[in-house]
Amino acid sequence: MSSLIVPPILTSPRDDAIKLHGAFKGWGCDTAVVIDILAHRDAIQRALIQQDYRAMYSEDLCKRLSSELSGKLEMAVLLWMHDPAGRDAVVMRNSLTTGSLKAATEVICSRTPSQIQLIRQHYHSKFGVHLEDDIKRHTSGDHEKLLLAYVSPPWNEGLEVDRQVVENDAKALYKAGEKRLGTDERTFIRIFCERSRAHLAYVAPVYHSMHGISLRKVVKKETSGNFEYGLLTILKCSENPAKYFAKVLHKAMKGLGTDDTTLVRVIVTRTEIDMQYIKAEYSKKYKKTLTDAVHSETSGNYRTFLLSLLGPKY
């Protein structure tokens, strides 16, 4: 469930474009106007504003925003201007080409099959290369095999669960890991990538009841690095994606300093998807609202923008 608050009576995209252009005039940028408009428009509305802005001023709105804003606010607003699938494509491209593979792994392994299909289309449209080719170019080993398997058909998004297949998978994972010397990574990749979220959510408790150890602990014991991170992301998101992202956000704000790249990525990419559920999970687990946590870790216009996306505390 989205946390985005859109005004009940909207101004036209043309009027929004005019107001934004006015905010850019003169000495400095009227950032309050920019946030007030853009943080309260959905993906379709933002796209229409960009179209009208270009038609009226022969200028790309995102390029103008980049020249008017700076720092963390610029990063957050520019990422927000994309639609969800296009935004994921941008995050993955940046992650893959800069060698910081955790973000790409998170995005791929936390998305549903239907979301992955859209992301692949946007990726090729935006960057002129297939997502699979960039994965091959910038990753390696079991991590590469996992990501390639997860973004490739056939995909299973059904809610049906066959108890016998669940038990067979739990046995196969045991034989591929705990029971043998070394690890049969191919079996982990096959089951984690070919089975639906609903199915995997059943495999975990069945594995625990059959073998006396949690499947998460087995993954941590048998694998490592980005391969481990990908498997755990798939598993956790099959059980409760909102809880997974609440933990990612908490980790980004925990201790000295804030991981603003992660904070922005998760808030901006989940606002139009399931941020209300993430906020509920955050409050439940950490006894503090996500809004209060973000408020204490940010400042200025950057804080105002993120809090606008998060909406009310509850």
Coordinates of all heavy atoms in Angstrom, one line a residue, residues 79-170:
L79 N 15.7 10.5 -8.6 CA 15.3 9.1 -8.6 C 13.8 9.0 -8.6 O 13.2 8.2 -9.2 CB 15.9 8.4 -7.4 CG 15.8 6.9 -7.4 CD1 16.5 6.3 -8.6 CD2 16.4 6.3 -6.1
W80 N 13.2 9.9 -7.8 CA 11.7 9.9 -7.7 C 11.0 10.3 -9.0 O 9.9 9.8 -9.2 CB 11.3 11.0 -6.6 CG 9.8 11.2 -6.5 CD1 9.2 12.3 -6.7 CD2 8.9 10.3 -6.0 NE1 7.8 12.2 -6.4 CE2 7.6 10.9 -6.0 CE3 8.9 8.9 -5.6 CZ2 6.5 10.3 -5.6 CZ3 7.8 8.3 -5.2 CH2 6.6 9.0 -5.2
M81 N 11.7 11.0 -9.9 CA 11.0 11.4 -11.1 C 10.7 10.3 -12.1 O 9.9 10.4 -13.0 CB 11.9 12.5 -11.8 CG 12.0 13.8 -11.1 SD 10.4 14.6 -10.7 CE 9.8 15.0 -12.4
H82 N 11.4 9.2 -11.9 CA 11.1 8.0 -12.8 C 9.8 7.3 -12.3 O 9.4 7.4 -11.2 CB 12.2 7.0 -12.7 CG 13.5 7.5 -13.2 ND1 13.9 7.6 -14.5 CD2 14.6 8.0 -12.5 CE1 15.1 8.1 -14.7 NE2 15.6 8.4 -13.5
D83 N 9.2 6.5 -13.2 CA 8.2 5.6 -12.7 C 8.8 4.4 -12.0 O 10.1 4.2 -12.1 CB 7.3 5.1 -13.9 CG 8.0 4.3 -14.9 OD1 9.2 4.0 -14.7 OD2 7.3 3.9 -15.9
P84 N 8.1 3.5 -11.3 CA 8.7 2.5 -10.5 C 9.7 1.6 -11.3 O 10.8 1.3 -10.8 CB 7.5 1.7 -9.9 CG 6.5 2.8 -9.8 CD 6.6 3.7 -11.0
A85 N 9.2 1.1 -12.4 CA 10.1 0.1 -13.2 C 11.3 0.8 -13.7 O 12.4 0.3 -13.7 CB 9.3 -0.5 -14.3
G86 N 11.1 2.0 -14.3 CA 12.3 2.8 -14.8 C 13.3 3.1 -13.7 O 14.5 3.1 -13.9
R87 N 12.7 3.4 -12.5 CA 13.6 3.8 -11.3 C 14.4 2.6 -10.9 O 15.6 2.7 -10.7 CB 12.7 4.2 -10.2 CG 13.4 4.7 -9.0 CD 12.4 5.0 -7.9 NE 11.4 5.9 -8.3 CZ 10.1 5.8 -8.2 NH1 9.6 4.6 -7.6 NH2 9.2 6.7 -8.5
D88 N 13.8 1.4 -10.9 CA 14.5 0.2 -10.6 C 15.6 -0.1 -11.6 O 16.7 -0.5 -11.3 CB 13.6 -1.0 -10.5 CG 12.8 -1.1 -9.2 OD1 13.2 -0.4 -8.3 OD2 11.8 -1.9 -9.2
A89 N 15.3 0.2 -12.9 CA 16.3 0.0 -13.9 C 17.5 0.9 -13.7 O 18.7 0.5 -13.9 CB 15.7 0.2 -15.3
V90 N 17.3 2.1 -13.3 CA 18.3 3.1 -13.1 C 19.2 2.7 -11.9 O 20.4 2.7 -12.0 CB 17.7 4.5 -12.8 CG1 18.8 5.5 -12.3 CG2 17.1 5.1 -14.1
V91 N 18.5 2.2 -10.8 CA 19.3 1.8 -9.7 C 20.2 0.6 -10.0 O 21.4 0.5 -9.6 CB 18.3 1.4 -8.5 CG1 19.0 0.7 -7.4 CG2 17.6 2.6 -8.0
M92 N 19.6 -0.4 -10.8 CA 20.4 -1.5 -11.1 C 21.6 -1.2 -12.0 O 22.7 -1.7 -11.9 CB 19.5 -2.6 -11.8 CG 18.6 -3.3 -10.8 SD 17.8 -4.8 -11.5 CE 16.7 -4.0 -12.6
R93 N 21.3 -0.3 -13.0 CA 22.4 0.1 -13.9 C 23.5 0.7 -13.2 O 24.7 0.4 -13.4 CB 21.8 1.0 -15.0 CG 22.8 1.6 -15.9 CD 23.4 0.6 -16.9 NE 24.2 1.3 -17.9 CZ 24.7 0.8 -19.0 NH1 24.6 -0.5 -19.2 NH2 25.5 1.5 -19.8
N94 N 23.2 1.7 -12.3 CA 24.2 2.3 -11.5 C 25.0 1.4 -10.6 O 26.2 1.4 -10.5 CB 23.6 3.4 -10.6 CG 23.1 4.6 -11.4 OD1 23.5 4.8 -12.6 ND2 22.2 5.4 -10.9
S95 N 24.3 0.4 -10.0 CA 24.9 -0.5 -9.1 C 25.8 -1.5 -9.9 O 26.9 -1.7 -9.5 CB 23.8 -1.3 -8.4 OG 24.4 -2.4 -7.6
L96 N 25.3 -2.0 -11.0 CA 26.1 -2.9 -11.8 C 27.4 -2.3 -12.4 O 28.4 -2.9 -12.4 CB 25.3 -3.5 -12.9 CG 24.2 -4.5 -12.5 CD1 23.2 -4.8 -13.7 CD2 24.8 -5.8 -12.0
T97 N 27.2 -1.1 -12.9 CA 28.4 -0.5 -13.6 C 29.4 0.2 -12.7 O 30.5 0.5 -13.1 CB 27.9 0.6 -14.6 OG1 27.1 1.6 -13.9 CG2 27.1 -0.1 -15.7
T98 N 29.0 0.4 -11.4 CA 30.0 1.0 -10.5 C 30.6 -0.1 -9.6 O 31.5 0.3 -8.8 CB 29.3 2.0 -9.5 OG1 28.2 1.4 -8.8 CG2 28.7 3.2 -10.4
G99 N 30.2 -1.3 -9.7 CA 30.8 -2.4 -8.9 C 30.3 -2.5 -7.5 O 30.7 -3.4 -6.8
S100 N 29.3 -1.7 -7.2 CA 28.6 -1.8 -5.9 C 27.4 -2.6 -6.1 O 26.3 -2.1 -6.3 CB 28.3 -0.4 -5.3 OG 27.6 -0.5 -4.1
L101 N 27.5 -4.0 -6.0 CA 26.5 -4.9 -6.5 C 25.4 -5.1 -5.5 O 24.4 -5.8 -5.9 CB 27.2 -6.2 -6.9 CG 28.3 -6.1 -7.9 CD1 28.9 -7.4 -8.2 CD2 27.7 -5.6 -9.3
K102 N 25.5 -4.7 -4.3 CA 24.4 -5.0 -3.3 C 23.1 -4.4 -3.7 O 22.0 -5.1 -3.5 CB 24.8 -4.5 -1.9 CG 24.1 -5.1 -0.8 CD 24.7 -4.7 0.6 CE 23.9 -5.4 1.7 NZ 24.6 -5.1 3.0
A103 N 23.0 -3.2 -4.2 CA 21.8 -2.6 -4.6 C 21.1 -3.3 -5.7 O 19.9 -3.5 -5.7 CB 22.0 -1.1 -5.0
A104 N 21.9 -3.7 -6.7 CA 21.3 -4.4 -7.9 C 20.8 -5.8 -7.4 O 19.7 -6.2 -7.8 CB 22.3 -4.7 -8.9
T105 N 21.5 -6.4 -6.5 CA 21.1 -7.7 -5.9 C 19.8 -7.5 -5.2 O 18.8 -8.4 -5.3 CB 22.2 -8.3 -5.0 OG1 23.4 -8.4 -5.8 CG2 21.8 -9.7 -4.5
E106 N 19.7 -6.5 -4.3 CA 18.5 -6.2 -3.6 C 17.3 -6.0 -4.5 O 16.2 -6.6 -4.3 CB 18.7 -5.0 -2.7 CG 17.4 -4.6 -1.9 CD 17.5 -3.2 -1.4 OE1 18.2 -3.0 -0.4 OE2 16.9 -2.3 -2.0
V107 N 17.4 -5.2 -5.5 CA 16.3 -4.8 -6.3 C 15.8 -6.1 -7.1 O 14.6 -6.4 -7.1 CB 16.7 -3.7 -7.3 CG1 15.6 -3.5 -8.4 CG2 16.9 -2.4 -6.6
I108 N 16.8 -6.8 -7.7 CA 16.4 -8.0 -8.5 C 15.7 -9.0 -7.6 O 14.6 -9.5 -7.9 CB 17.6 -8.6 -9.2 CG1 18.1 -7.7 -10.3 CG2 17.3 -10.0 -9.7 CD1 19.4 -8.1 -10.9
C109 N 16.3 -9.3 -6.5 CA 15.8 -10.5 -5.6 C 14.6 -10.1 -4.8 O 14.0 -11.0 -4.1 CB 17.0 -11.0 -4.8 SG 18.3 -11.7 -5.8
S110 N 14.2 -8.8 -4.7 CA 13.1 -8.5 -3.9 C 11.8 -8.2 -4.8 O 10.8 -8.0 -4.2 CB 13.4 -7.2 -3.1 OG 13.6 -6.1 -3.9
R111 N 12.0 -8.2 -6.1 CA 10.9 -7.9 -6.9 C 10.1 -9.1 -7.4 O 10.6 -10.2 -7.4 CB 11.3 -7.1 -8.2 CG 12.0 -5.7 -8.0 CD 11.5 -4.9 -6.8 NE 12.0 -3.6 -6.8 CZ 12.6 -3.0 -5.8 NH1 12.8 -3.7 -4.7 NH2 13.0 -1.7 -5.9
T112 N 8.8 -8.9 -7.7 CA 8.0 -10.0 -8.2 C 8.2 -10.3 -9.6 O 8.8 -9.4 -10.3 CB 6.5 -9.7 -8.0 OG1 6.2 -8.5 -8.8 CG2 6.2 -9.3 -6.5
P113 N 7.8 -11.4 -10.1 CA 8.1 -11.7 -11.6 C 7.5 -10.7 -12.5 O 8.1 -10.3 -13.5 CB 7.4 -13.1 -11.7 CG 7.5 -13.7 -10.4 CD 7.3 -12.6 -9.4
S114 N 6.3 -10.2 -12.2 CA 5.7 -9.2 -13.1 C 6.5 -7.9 -13.1 O 6.6 -7.2 -14.1 CB 4.2 -8.9 -12.7 OG 4.1 -8.5 -11.4
Q115 N 7.0 -7.5 -11.9 CA 7.9 -6.3 -11.8 C 9.2 -6.5 -12.6 O 9.6 -5.6 -13.3 CB 8.1 -6.0 -10.3 CG 7.0 -5.5 -9.6 CD 7.2 -5.4 -8.1 OE1 8.0 -6.1 -7.5 NE2 6.4 -4.6 -7.4
I116 N 9.7 -7.7 -12.5 CA 11.0 -8.0 -13.2 C 10.8 -7.9 -14.7 O 11.6 -7.3 -15.4 CB 11.5 -9.5 -12.9 CG1 12.0 -9.6 -11.4 CG2 12.6 -9.9 -13.9 CD1 13.3 -8.8 -11.2
Q117 N 9.6 -8.4 -15.2 CA 9.4 -8.2 -16.7 C 9.4 -6.8 -17.1 O 10.0 -6.4 -18.1 CB 8.0 -8.9 -17.0 CG 8.0 -10.4 -16.9 CD 6.7 -11.0 -17.3 OE1 6.2 -10.8 -18.4 NE2 6.0 -11.7 -16.3
L118 N 8.7 -5.9 -16.4 CA 8.7 -4.5 -16.7 C 10.1 -3.9 -16.6 O 10.5 -3.0 -17.4 CB 7.7 -3.8 -15.8 CG 6.2 -3.9 -16.1 CD1 5.4 -3.2 -15.0 CD2 5.9 -3.3 -17.4
I119 N 10.8 -4.2 -15.6 CA 12.2 -3.7 -15.4 C 13.1 -4.0 -16.6 O 13.8 -3.2 -17.1 CB 12.8 -4.2 -14.1 CG1 12.0 -3.6 -12.9 CG2 14.3 -3.8 -14.0 CD1 12.3 -4.4 -11.6
R120 N 13.0 -5.3 -17.0 CA 13.8 -5.7 -18.2 C 13.5 -4.9 -19.4 O 14.4 -4.5 -20.1 CB 13.5 -7.2 -18.5 CG 14.1 -8.2 -17.4 CD 13.6 -9.6 -17.7 NE 14.4 -10.2 -18.8 CZ 13.9 -11.0 -19.7 NH1 12.6 -11.3 -19.7 NH2 14.6 -11.6 -20.6
Q121 N 12.2 -4.6 -19.6 CA 11.8 -3.8 -20.8 C 12.4 -2.3 -20.6 O 12.9 -1.8 -21.6 CB 10.3 -3.7 -20.9 CG 9.7 -5.1 -21.2 CD 8.1 -5.1 -21.0 OE1 7.5 -4.0 -20.9 NE2 7.6 -6.2 -21.0
H122 N 12.2 -1.8 -19.5 CA 12.7 -0.4 -19.2 C 14.3 -0.3 -19.3 O 14.8 0.6 -19.9 CB 12.3 0.1 -17.9 CG 10.9 0.7 -17.8 ND1 10.6 2.0 -17.9 CD2 9.7 0.0 -17.7 CE1 9.3 2.2 -17.9 NE2 8.7 1.0 -17.8
Y123 N 14.9 -1.4 -18.8 CA 16.4 -1.4 -18.8 C 16.9 -1.3 -20.3 O 17.8 -0.5 -20.6 CB 16.9 -2.7 -18.2 CG 18.3 -2.6 -17.7 CD1 18.6 -2.3 -16.4 CD2 19.4 -2.9 -18.6 CE1 19.9 -2.2 -16.0 CE2 20.7 -2.9 -18.2 CZ 21.0 -2.5 -16.9 OH 22.3 -2.5 -16.4
H124 N 16.3 -2.2 -21.1 CA 16.7 -2.2 -22.5 C 16.4 -0.9 -23.2 O 17.2 -0.3 -24.0 CB 16.1 -3.4 -23.3 CG 16.6 -3.5 -24.7 ND1 15.9 -3.1 -25.8 CD2 17.8 -4.1 -25.2 CE1 16.6 -3.3 -26.9 NE2 17.7 -3.9 -26.5
S125 N 15.2 -0.3 -22.9 CA 14.8 0.9 -23.6 C 15.7 2.1 -23.2 O 16.0 2.9 -24.0 CB 13.3 1.2 -23.2 OG 12.9 2.5 -23.7
K126 N 16.0 2.1 -21.9 CA 16.8 3.3 -21.4 C 18.3 3.2 -21.7 O 18.9 4.2 -22.0 CB 16.7 3.3 -19.8 CG 15.4 3.9 -19.3 CD 15.4 4.0 -17.8 CE 14.2 4.6 -17.2 NZ 14.0 6.0 -17.5
F127 N 18.9 2.0 -21.7 CA 20.3 1.9 -21.8 C 20.8 1.1 -23.0 O 22.0 1.0 -23.3 CB 20.9 1.2 -20.5 CG 20.4 1.8 -19.3 CD1 19.6 1.1 -18.4 CD2 20.8 3.1 -19.0 CE1 19.2 1.8 -17.2 CE2 20.3 3.8 -17.8 CZ 19.5 3.1 -16.9
G128 N 19.9 0.6 -23.9 CA 20.3 0.0 -25.1 C 21.0 -1.3 -25.0 O 21.6 -1.9 -25.9
V129 N 21.0 -1.9 -23.8 CA 21.5 -3.3 -23.5 C 20.5 -4.1 -22.8 O 19.7 -3.5 -22.1 CB 22.9 -3.2 -22.8 CG1 23.9 -2.5 -23.6 CG2 22.7 -2.5 -21.4
H130 N 20.6 -5.4 -22.9 CA 19.7 -6.3 -22.1 C 20.3 -6.4 -20.7 O 21.5 -6.5 -20.5 CB 19.6 -7.6 -22.8 CG 18.9 -7.6 -24.1 ND1 17.6 -7.4 -24.2 CD2 19.4 -7.7 -25.4 CE1 17.3 -7.4 -25.5 NE2 18.4 -7.6 -26.2
L131 N 19.4 -6.5 -19.8 CA 19.8 -6.6 -18.4 C 20.6 -7.8 -18.2 O 21.6 -7.8 -17.4 CB 18.5 -6.7 -17.5 CG 18.7 -7.0 -16.0 CD1 19.6 -6.0 -15.3 CD2 17.4 -7.1 -15.3
E132 N 20.3 -8.9 -18.8 CA 21.1 -10.2 -18.7 C 22.5 -10.0 -19.1 O 23.4 -10.5 -18.5 CB 20.4 -11.3 -19.5 CG 19.1 -11.7 -19.1 CD 17.9 -10.9 -19.7 OE1 18.2 -9.8 -20.1 OE2 16.8 -11.5 -19.8
D133 N 22.7 -9.2 -20.2 CA 24.1 -8.9 -20.7 C 24.9 -8.1 -19.7 O 26.1 -8.4 -19.5 CB 24.1 -8.2 -22.0 CG 23.5 -9.1 -23.1 OD1 23.6 -10.3 -23.0 OD2 23.0 -8.5 -24.1
D134 N 24.3 -7.2 -19.0 CA 25.0 -6.4 -18.0 C 25.3 -7.2 -16.8 O 26.3 -7.1 -16.1 CB 24.2 -5.1 -17.6 CG 24.7 -3.9 -18.3 OD1 25.7 -4.0 -19.1 OD2 24.1 -2.8 -18.2
I135 N 24.4 -8.1 -16.4 CA 24.6 -9.0 -15.3 C 25.8 -9.9 -15.6 O 26.7 -10.1 -14.8 CB 23.4 -9.9 -15.0 CG1 22.3 -9.0 -14.4 CG2 23.7 -11.1 -14.0 CD1 20.9 -9.8 -14.2
K136 N 25.9 -10.5 -16.8 CA 27.0 -11.3 -17.2 C 28.3 -10.5 -17.2 O 29.4 -11.0 -16.8 CB 26.8 -11.9 -18.6 CG 25.7 -12.9 -18.7 CD 25.4 -13.3 -20.1 CE 24.3 -14.2 -20.3 NZ 23.9 -14.6 -21.7
R137 N 28.2 -9.2 -17.6 CA 29.4 -8.4 -17.7 C 30.0 -8.0 -16.4 O 31.2 -7.8 -16.2 CB 29.1 -7.1 -18.6 CG 30.3 -6.3 -18.9 CD 29.9 -5.1 -19.9 NE 29.4 -5.6 -21.2 CZ 28.1 -5.5 -21.6 NH1 27.2 -4.9 -20.8 NH2 27.7 -6.0 -22.7
H138 N 29.1 -7.8 -15.4 CA 29.6 -7.2 -14.1 C 29.5 -8.1 -12.9 O 29.9 -7.6 -11.8 CB 28.7 -5.9 -13.9 CG 28.9 -4.9 -15.0 ND1 30.1 -4.2 -15.2 CD2 28.0 -4.4 -15.9 CE1 29.9 -3.3 -16.2 NE2 28.7 -3.4 -16.6
T139 N 29.0 -9.3 -13.0 CA 29.0 -10.2 -11.9 C 29.7 -11.5 -12.3 O 30.0 -11.7 -13.4 CB 27.5 -10.5 -11.4 OG1 26.8 -11.2 -12.5 CG2 26.8 -9.2 -11.1
S140 N 29.8 -12.4 -11.3 CA 30.5 -13.6 -11.6 C 30.1 -14.8 -10.7 O 29.4 -14.5 -9.7 CB 32.0 -13.4 -11.5 OG 32.3 -13.0 -10.1
G141 N 30.5 -16.0 -11.0 CA 30.2 -17.1 -10.2 C 28.8 -17.4 -9.9 O 27.9 -17.2 -10.7
D142 N 28.5 -17.9 -8.7 CA 27.2 -18.3 -8.3 C 26.3 -17.1 -8.1 O 25.0 -17.2 -8.4 CB 27.2 -19.0 -6.9 CG 27.9 -20.4 -7.0 OD1 27.7 -21.1 -8.0 OD2 28.7 -20.7 -6.1
H143 N 26.8 -15.9 -7.8 CA 26.0 -14.7 -7.8 C 25.5 -14.4 -9.2 O 24.3 -14.1 -9.3 CB 26.9 -13.5 -7.3 CG 26.2 -12.2 -7.2 ND1 26.8 -11.1 -7.6 CD2 25.0 -11.9 -6.7 CE1 25.9 -10.1 -7.4 NE2 24.9 -10.5 -6.8
E144 N 26.3 -14.5 -10.2 CA 25.8 -14.3 -11.5 C 24.8 -15.3 -11.9 O 23.7 -14.9 -12.5 CB 27.0 -14.4 -12.5 CG 26.6 -14.3 -14.0 CD 27.8 -14.7 -14.9 OE1 28.9 -14.8 -14.5 OE2 27.5 -14.8 -16.1
K145 N 25.0 -16.5 -11.6 CA 24.0 -17.6 -12.0 C 22.7 -17.3 -11.3 O 21.6 -17.5 -11.9 CB 24.6 -18.9 -11.6 CG 25.8 -19.4 -12.4 CD 26.4 -20.7 -11.8 CE 27.7 -21.0 -12.5 NZ 28.3 -22.2 -11.9
L146 N 22.7 -16.9 -10.0 CA 21.5 -16.6 -9.3 C 20.7 -15.5 -10.0 O 19.5 -15.6 -10.2 CB 21.8 -16.2 -7.9 CG 20.6 -15.8 -7.0 CD1 19.7 -17.1 -6.7 CD2 21.1 -15.2 -5.7
L147 N 21.4 -14.4 -10.2 CA 20.7 -13.2 -10.8 C 20.1 -13.5 -12.2 O 19.0 -13.1 -12.5 CB 21.6 -12.0 -10.9 CG 22.1 -11.4 -9.5 CD1 22.9 -10.1 -9.8 CD2 21.0 -11.2 -8.5
L148 N 20.9 -14.2 -13.0 CA 20.4 -14.6 -14.3 C 19.2 -15.5 -14.3 O 18.3 -15.3 -15.0 CB 21.6 -15.3 -15.1 CG 22.7 -14.4 -15.6 CD1 23.8 -15.2 -16.3 CD2 22.2 -13.3 -16.6
A149 N 19.3 -16.5 -13.4 CA 18.1 -17.4 -13.2 C 16.9 -16.6 -12.7 O 15.7 -16.9 -13.2 CB 18.5 -18.5 -12.2
Y150 N 17.1 -15.6 -11.9 CA 15.9 -14.9 -11.3 C 15.3 -13.9 -12.3 O 14.1 -13.7 -12.2 CB 16.4 -14.1 -10.0 CG 15.2 -13.8 -9.1 CD1 14.7 -14.8 -8.3 CD2 14.6 -12.6 -9.1 CE1 13.6 -14.6 -7.4 CE2 13.5 -12.3 -8.3 CZ 13.0 -13.3 -7.4 OH 12.0 -13.0 -6.6
V151 N 16.0 -13.4 -13.2 CA 15.4 -12.4 -14.2 C 15.0 -13.1 -15.4 O 14.5 -12.4 -16.4 CB 16.4 -11.3 -14.5 CG1 16.8 -10.5 -13.3 CG2 17.6 -11.8 -15.3
S152 N 15.2 -14.4 -15.5 CA 14.8 -15.1 -16.8 C 13.6 -16.0 -16.6 O 13.4 -16.6 -15.6 CB 16.0 -16.0 -17.2 OG 17.2 -15.3 -17.3
P153 N 12.7 -16.1 -17.7 CA 11.6 -16.9 -17.6 C 12.0 -18.4 -17.6 O 13.2 -18.7 -18.0 CB 10.8 -16.6 -18.9 CG 11.7 -15.9 -19.7 CD 12.8 -15.3 -18.9
P154 N 11.2 -19.4 -17.2 CA 9.8 -19.1 -16.8 C 9.7 -18.6 -15.3 O 10.5 -18.9 -14.5 CB 9.2 -20.5 -16.8 CG 10.3 -21.4 -16.5 CD 11.5 -20.8 -17.1
W155 N 8.7 -17.7 -15.1 CA 8.4 -17.1 -13.8 C 7.2 -17.8 -13.2 O 6.2 -18.1 -13.9 CB 8.2 -15.6 -13.9 CG 9.5 -14.9 -14.2 CD1 10.6 -14.7 -13.5 CD2 9.7 -14.1 -15.4 NE1 11.5 -14.0 -14.1 CE2 11.0 -13.5 -15.3 CE3 8.9 -13.8 -16.6 CZ2 11.6 -12.7 -16.3 CZ3 9.5 -13.0 -17.6 CH2 10.8 -12.5 -17.4
N156 N 7.2 -17.9 -11.9 CA 6.0 -18.5 -11.2 C 5.5 -17.5 -10.2 O 6.2 -17.2 -9.2 CB 6.4 -19.8 -10.6 CG 5.2 -20.5 -10.0 OD1 4.1 -19.9 -9.9 ND2 5.3 -21.8 -9.7
E157 N 4.3 -16.9 -10.4 CA 3.8 -15.9 -9.5 C 2.5 -16.4 -8.9 O 1.7 -15.6 -8.3 CB 3.6 -14.6 -10.2 CG 3.6 -13.4 -9.3 CD 3.7 -12.1 -10.1 OE1 3.8 -12.1 -11.3 OE2 3.9 -11.0 -9.4
G158 N 2.2 -17.7 -9.0 CA 0.9 -18.2 -8.5 C 0.9 -18.4 -7.0 O 1.9 -18.4 -6.4
L159 N -0.3 -18.5 -6.5 CA -0.5 -18.6 -5.0 C -0.7 -20.0 -4.6 O -0.8 -20.4 -3.4 CB -1.7 -17.7 -4.6 CG -1.6 -16.2 -4.8 CD1 -2.9 -15.5 -4.4 CD2 -0.4 -15.7 -4.0
E160 N -0.8 -20.9 -5.6 CA -1.1 -22.4 -5.3 C 0.2 -23.0 -4.7 O 1.3 -22.7 -5.2 CB -1.5 -23.1 -6.5 CG -2.7 -22.6 -7.3 CD -2.3 -21.4 -8.2 OE1 -1.1 -21.2 -8.4 OE2 -3.2 -20.7 -8.6
V161 N 0.0 -23.8 -3.7 CA 1.1 -24.5 -3.0 C 0.8 -26.0 -2.9 O -0.2 -26.4 -2.4 CB 1.4 -23.9 -1.6 CG1 2.5 -24.7 -0.9 CG2 1.8 -22.4 -1.7
D162 N 1.7 -26.8 -3.4 CA 1.6 -28.3 -3.4 C 2.4 -28.8 -2.2 O 3.7 -28.7 -2.2 CB 2.1 -28.9 -4.7 CG 1.8 -30.4 -4.8 OD1 2.1 -31.1 -3.8 OD2 1.4 -30.9 -5.8
R163 N 1.8 -29.3 -1.2 CA 2.5 -29.7 0.0 C 3.6 -30.8 -0.3 O 4.7 -30.7 0.3 CB 1.5 -30.4 1.0 CG 2.1 -31.0 2.2 CD 2.5 -29.9 3.2 NE 3.2 -30.5 4.4 CZ 3.5 -29.8 5.5 NH1 3.2 -28.5 5.6 NH2 4.1 -30.4 6.5
Q164 N 3.3 -31.7 -1.3 CA 4.3 -32.7 -1.6 C 5.6 -32.1 -2.2 O 6.7 -32.4 -1.9 CB 3.7 -33.7 -2.5 CG 4.6 -34.9 -2.8 CD 5.0 -35.7 -1.5 OE1 4.2 -36.1 -0.7 NE2 6.3 -35.8 -1.2
V165 N 5.4 -31.1 -3.1 CA 6.5 -30.4 -3.8 C 7.3 -29.6 -2.7 O 8.5 -29.6 -2.8 CB 6.0 -29.5 -4.9 CG1 7.2 -28.8 -5.5 CG2 5.3 -30.3 -6.0
V166 N 6.6 -29.0 -1.8 CA 7.3 -28.3 -0.7 C 8.2 -29.2 0.1 O 9.3 -28.9 0.3 CB 6.2 -27.6 0.3 CG1 6.9 -27.1 1.5 CG2 5.5 -26.5 -0.4
E167 N 7.7 -30.4 0.4 CA 8.5 -31.3 1.2 C 9.7 -31.8 0.4 O 10.8 -32.0 0.9 CB 7.6 -32.5 1.7 CG 6.6 -32.1 2.7 CD 5.7 -33.3 3.2 OE1 5.9 -34.4 2.6 OE2 4.9 -33.1 4.1
N168 N 9.4 -32.1 -0.9 CA 10.5 -32.5 -1.8 C 11.6 -31.5 -1.9 O 12.8 -31.8 -1.9 CB 10.0 -32.8 -3.2 CG 9.1 -34.1 -3.2 OD1 9.1 -34.9 -2.3 ND2 8.3 -34.2 -4.3
D169 N 11.2 -30.2 -2.0 CA 12.2 -29.1 -2.0 C 13.0 -29.0 -0.7 O 14.2 -28.8 -0.7 CB 11.5 -27.8 -2.3 CG 11.1 -27.7 -3.8 OD1 11.6 -28.5 -4.6 OD2 10.3 -26.7 -4.1
A170 N 12.3 -29.2 0.4 CA 13.0 -29.1 1.7 C 14.0 -30.2 1.8 O 15.1 -30.0 2.3 CB 12.0 -29.2 2.8

